[in-house]
Amino acid sequence: MALHLYNTATRSKELFTLPEGQSAVRLYCCGPTVYHFAHIGNLRTYIFEDSLRRVLEYYGYAVNHVVNITDVGHLTSDGDDGDDKMEKGAARTGKSVWEVADFYTEAFMKDWKALNIIEPSIWCKATDHIQEQIALVQKLEEKGYTYRTSDGIYFDSAKFPRYPDFAHLDVENLQQGSRVDMGEKRTVTDFALWKFSPENQKRAMEWDSPWGIGFPGWHIECSAMAMHHLGSTLDIHCGGSDHVRVHHTNEIAQSECATGKPFSRFWLHGEFLRMGSDKMSKSAGEFLTVSLLMEKGFNPLDYRLFALTSHYRNYLNFTWEALESAREGFKNLHKKTDALIGKAGKIESERAQQWQNKFKEAIGDDLNMPKALGILNGVLKDDLADCEKAALVLDFDLVLGLCLDHPRKDYASKKDVVDASKVEELISLRATARASKNWAESDRLRDELKLMNVTIKDGPEGTTWST
RNA sequence: GGCGACGUACCCAAGUUGGUAAGGGACGGCUCUGCAAAAGCCCUAUUCCUCGGUUCGAGUCCGAGCGUUGCCUCCA
């Protein structure tokens, strides 16, 4: 069984292997710009990257996983003008840019934890790697790939003939149809490596450099940090599909011009989550966050399951109905797995091994998680021994990350936690009513419990309840 | 203007090199039950936007059309 991944660079599925003698996968994922909360569309991409990491590990690879935190330099326009996102966030919240960065970084990590996304081996902040970025720009300057304008040092994309190849760009037409203000740029695809601070204004974040006081361009941070932590060639570089044209194309240009080596062997891109016909966008004002989902009574893992029901390279339409469907499905899944997990034995029978192989094949086929979920359901329906079923569930959950090794209650949000003594009291009242065949009162009490999100179950041993 | 993606049951969605439609949710039916709930079982597309073509055979390949939609501004 081999692992195949769809590589944006070649637009085809390719066999993934590690170069000879290399012990760990060098994985770099473009992380968040911490000027605002992450919305669930952003998070879909990180769930996809988490699946990738888990699949790599399931296939026996060690993974050196690096995720960046962009806390400087990302302007509100990729055309290298507009405001700095961080300064904008600071203005909006009345905090300093550094406070904004810390606040949203923490919020972001909380979301990761809630969604059971495995932490990267290394989190790296752009502001902690200013010297690496300056050094990279210097190297490009030495090799003659840069030029200076009144507002910064720019990359001269015309000197990198392969520039349009990655994203299949038609530069001439881009030039014609461009909505980007050219400023002093020579070619529409040129981009800022280092921006000068405005003369009349002190920026909250600025550093000294060989070219004067200023701050790094957005694209340079990823190249600098990726190469600093993982070396000049990566095995896999990930991000959202929107990064293909500008961000990753620029990363390739600046990195490969600096080192003369391929920047990444594989490029994987996650497709957008959509709301109705709109994509979810931070600049559009309102957007959905994990905490909003929780306020509406969802468990963050309901969303994780929802994300896993579609393939990462396809658009996924978000509707509340679809999320509810995922929540119901998740409850039903837990009913089955909760009854099994204590019984886990070994995967021994040929039949169980076949299931395991099917699962491995599905996830190895460019991370086909929807198919993998189907296989999980197949196992639960099959007439295997419980100890083997349980073992398979736990094995699959290594990749699915749905916390199936814990009963559902263990990760219920605080909101779901109910007053147990009150519940017991109502149940005993109901028992009295039932004993005297007062069904109306009995049903009323059940409805009352239902309002508290408590489900009761009458059995031979008396009444039990759950949330 | 350039470059893309998608169109499978009520909803979400898989479908690998073409061989005769996964899975989940909802709905409905049955068992059980005072009725429910819970649990268990069962049912739900002769058909994959349309029309042509290739083929013994196409959701799956090719062509045209229709529809939806993304990126090239910020965006994951």
Side-chain angles (χ1 to χ4, degrees):
Chain A
M1 243 164 305
L3 176 59
H4 288 85
L5 300 172
Y6 182 89
N7 190 349
T8 304
T10 58
R11 312 269 162 139
S12 59
K13 278 188 204 174
E14 290 177 28
L15 176 67
F16 180 84
T17 53
L18 231 38
E20 208 166 319
Q22 194 184 312
S23 59
V25 178
R26 299 161 299 190
L27 172 66
Y28 185 88
C29 301
C30 284
T33 301
V34 284
Y35 71 109
H36 214 317
F37 291 110
H39 60 59
I40 59 174
N42 301 129
L43 266 0
R44 183 192 181 199
T45 298
Y46 302 120
I47 291 172
F48 137 63
E49 290 163 353
D50 186 53
S51 298
L52 170 64
R53 170 167 177 178
R54 289 168 181 269
V55 167
L56 286 166
E57 289 178 345
Y58 194 87
Y59 268 78
Y61 292 108
V63 181
N64 205 191
H65 182 194
V66 176
V67 178
N68 66 294
I69 302 280
T70 299
D71 54 359
V72 66
H74 200 161
L75 304 183
T76 53
S77 159
D78 271 355
D80 296 317
D81 49 25
D83 306 319
D84 184 295
K85 285 185 175 181
M86 297 306 302
E87 306 226 355
K88 231 180 150 184
R92 192 186 63 241
T93 55
K95 294 176 182 163
S96 79
V97 284
W98 301 97
E99 286 168 340
V100 167
D102 285 349
F103 178 80
Y104 289 114
T105 299
E106 198 174 312
F108 182 76
M109 295 195 180
K110 218 180 261 176
D111 288 345
W112 269 45
K113 201 158 274 177
L115 290 167
N116 197 216
I117 296 172
I118 298 175
E119 285 221 33
S121 327
I122 297 172
W123 288 109
C124 55
K125 281 191 199 174
T127 51
D128 289 341
H129 296 77
I130 299 295
Q131 288 319 310
E132 285 82 356
Q133 298 180 65
I134 289 174
L136 187 54
V137 177
Q138 277 181 304
K139 201 162 181 183
L140 288 167
E141 190 174 43
E142 280 162 24
K143 293 193 170 187
Y145 286 108
T146 66
Y147 61 91
R148 184 182 186 119
T149 73
S150 60
D151 68 350
I153 303 295
Y154 280 77
F155 182 85
D156 190 350
S157 58
K159 295 209 170 125
F160 183 58
R162 285 187 285 118
Y163 186 89
D165 296 353
F166 181 68
H168 297 189
L169 298 176
D170 179 342
V171 176
E172 238 170 75
N173 272 304
L174 264 182
Q175 196 109 17
Q176 284 169 6
S178 175
R179 283 175 277 178
V180 176
D181 179 13
M182 283 289 283
E184 296 166 49
K185 290 200 288 192
R186 294 177 185 169
T187 309
V188 67
T189 47
D190 293 351
F191 54 94
L193 296 166
W194 186 264
K195 294 274 286 184
F196 307 135
S197 292
E199 280 178 24
N200 53 352
Q201 179 192 334
K202 171 140 179 82
R203 286 176 46 88
M205 286 180 164
E206 56 184 10
W207 294 265
D208 202 7
S209 82
W211 313 282
I213 306 267
F215 60 101
W218 173 44
H219 310 293
I220 197 74
E221 68 167 63
C222 283
S223 292
M225 291 193 281
M227 293 198 280
H228 175 72
H229 290 289
L230 296 168
S232 39
T233 298
L234 315 174
D235 295 301
I236 307 175
H237 192 135
C238 302
S241 64
D242 57 318
H243 282 159
V244 176
R245 285 171 174 281
V246 178
H247 185 50
H248 288 165
T249 289
N250 289 168
E251 280 190 52
I252 290 168
Q254 66 201 176
S255 306
E256 302 194 355
C257 286
T259 66
K261 293 176 191 159
F263 184 41
S264 182
R265 300 171 51 232
F266 281 75
W267 291 85
L268 271 61
H269 293 94
E271 198 41 272
F272 278 158
L273 178 76
R274 287 187 185 162
M275 291 273 303
S277 58
D278 294 329
K279 70 176 174 176
M280 203 164 289
S281 165
K282 282 180 191 171
S283 44
E286 269 297 304
F287 54 87
L288 299 177
T289 58
V290 168
S291 47
L292 181 66
L293 259 40
M294 290 171 77
E295 277 168 32
K296 295 231 182 201
F298 291 94
N299 185 300
L301 294 179
D302 294 337
Y303 178 69
R304 184 181 175 99
L305 178 64
F306 172 67
L308 259 27
T309 59
S310 87
H311 188 91
Y312 77 90
R313 279 195 290 119
N314 284 146
Y315 292 109
L316 174 60
N317 292 309
F318 179 87
T319 60
W320 289 106
E321 190 192 0
L323 186 62
E324 277 162 20
S325 161
R327 174 169 61 187
E328 286 310 305
F330 199 34
K331 278 186 191 166
N332 290 334
L333 180 60
H334 261 289
K335 278 174 206 158
K336 293 171 191 155
T337 59
D338 288 356
L340 286 171
I341 49 173
K343 303 176 184 170
K346 278 184 181 163
I347 299 166
E348 284 172 325
S349 71
E350 198 179 318
R351 194 175 178 82
Q353 280 170 17
Q354 279 170 357
W355 279 113
Q356 192 177 32
N357 288 340
K358 269 175 119 170
F359 180 83
K360 189 170 181 183
E361 203 174 331
I363 60 173
D365 179 17
D366 195 31
L367 320 181
N368 195 331
M369 308 312 276
K371 194 170 182 178
L373 288 171
I375 291 163
L376 172 63
N377 278 298
V379 166
L380 293 170
K381 276 189 199 163
D382 200 33
D383 51 10
L384 287 166
D386 280 357
C387 61
E388 281 199 312
K389 269 194 196 180
L392 285 168
V393 167
L394 294 178
D395 184 58
F396 293 178
D397 197 48
L398 259 26
V399 174
L400 301 172
L402 292 169
C403 300
L404 298 176
D405 54 338
H406 292 80
R408 188 174 164 88
K409 255 194 232 169
D410 282 5
Y411 54 84
S413 68
K414 286 246 160 62
K415 213 171 161 57
D416 292 341
V417 175
V418 296
D419 182 346
S421 62
K422 171 98 193 212
V423 171
E424 299 291 353
E425 187 190 327
L426 291 174
I427 286 175
S428 85
L429 281 174
R430 180 167 168 275
T432 314
R434 293 182 79 217
S436 56
K437 294 192 188 289
N438 185 349
W439 307 122
E441 175 65 3
S442 160
D443 289 347
R444 193 194 63 74
L445 287 163
R446 184 172 47 218
D447 288 343
E448 190 173 328
L449 285 160
K450 200 170 179 183
L451 283 175
M452 297 166 65
N453 201 22
V454 171
T455 305
I456 54 174
K457 181 176 169 183
D458 298 325
E461 308 293 313
T463 301
T464 56
W465 63 279
S466 59
T467 53

